[in-house]
Amino acid sequence: WRKAQDFSRRSIDLAARSDAREVAARYAADAALRAAVLGKRNQAKSAVTQSLALERNHVSMARVALALAICGEAPQAEILADELGKRYPKNTLINQLWLPIIKAALELQRDNPAQAVQLLEAARRYESAAEFWPQYLRGLAYLSLKSGNDARAEFHGILEHRGEAALSVLYPLARLGLARAIALTGDTQKSRAEYHSF
């Protein structure tokens, strides 16, 4: 984690100094997402602030809003989601992919997993462009619903398509989710094997 943070800081600084503010904002937004999904709320919020200070574009704003939603910062996430919808009303990926993902993450925080699954259905058509976030959140929702086979399918799908987002933090987390999903189905031996792989 410390090495990843250091590399992230250096890449953001290098991009910012090279007058590539859009790239720097994206790197900071990605750092916010990594921190959020790993439960590092303070680091996530710091990276959110940094990203938004660098540049407010549709790529970085979507990731920052998702990071805030994962951290349970609903008011801020909703404000950014509203801004995204207003600034980019004709952007298909924002409106059909990222806004449903952000809203689904908020519903998971509100302990409404069935609503999260329903919201993510709208994103299914475009989800290959979202670096596994819809599948991961859908998997978490199915875990909450105690639907082991459905969760298993979502996490397994991430692990089977690693090349689509080779550096994603979601791979090890998908392995953990798969172990938990298999445990829900009652296959203790296979679940232990997945925990061991994790």
Side-chain angles (χ1 to χ4, degrees):
W1 171 248
R2 281 193 284 279
K3 266 188 171 179
Q5 279 190 296
D6 184 48
F7 284 134
S8 184
R9 264 193 298 277
R10 292 191 329 204
S11 63
I12 293 165
D13 290 344
L14 182 61
R17 279 187 275 133
S18 301
D19 204 28
R21 294 178 70 78
E22 182 176 334
V23 174
R26 165 73 188 266
Y27 289 164
D30 286 340
L33 262 178
R34 273 191 309 275
V37 80
L38 294 173
K40 310 267 188 196
R41 291 182 66 180
N42 290 337
Q43 291 95 328
K45 290 197 279 187
S46 175
V48 162
T49 301
Q50 183 179 26
S51 178
L52 293 174
L54 285 162
E55 185 168 317
R56 294 172 80 91
N57 61 55
H58 68 284
V59 175
S60 59
M61 284 176 63
R63 284 163 171 73
V64 160
L66 179 56
L68 289 168
I70 291 169
C71 287
E73 299 290 334
Q76 290 176 284
E78 289 167 342
I79 288 168
L80 280 173
D82 288 345
E83 183 179 341
L84 274 167
K86 287 175 185 165
R87 285 179 67 177
Y88 304 100
K90 295 183 181 181
N91 186 311
T92 301
L93 289 181
I94 290 298
N95 292 287
Q96 298 298 313
L97 180 66
W98 287 102
L99 290 179
I101 292 170
I102 294 161
K103 290 173 184 173
L106 288 167
E107 291 303 325
L108 282 173
Q109 289 296 318
R110 294 177 180 130
D111 199 25
N112 293 322
Q115 182 64 27
V117 170
Q118 186 178 355
L119 285 164
L120 290 169
E121 282 306 307
R124 197 176 285 276
R125 182 174 171 191
Y126 301 102
E127 67 187 23
S128 62
E131 300 159 6
F132 302 116
W133 287 103
Q135 298 93 323
Y136 180 72
L137 293 175
R138 198 179 296 117
L140 292 180
Y142 284 135
L143 284 178
S144 291
L145 292 167
K146 307 289 187 228
S147 182
N149 287 324
D150 290 327
R152 183 179 187 171
E154 296 297 335
F155 294 124
H156 184 74
I158 294 170
L159 295 169
E160 290 295 306
H161 295 92
R162 184 170 187 149
E164 291 179 21
L167 301 176
S168 177
V169 69
L170 297 180
Y171 291 113
L173 296 176
R175 179 73 62 192
L176 178 61
L178 182 60
R180 291 176 174 160
I182 293 171
L184 282 176
T185 67
D187 190 341
T188 315
Q189 186 175 1
K190 197 163 198 169
S191 177
R192 282 187 185 139
E194 289 299 334
Y195 277 118
H196 182 73
S197 294
F198 167 70

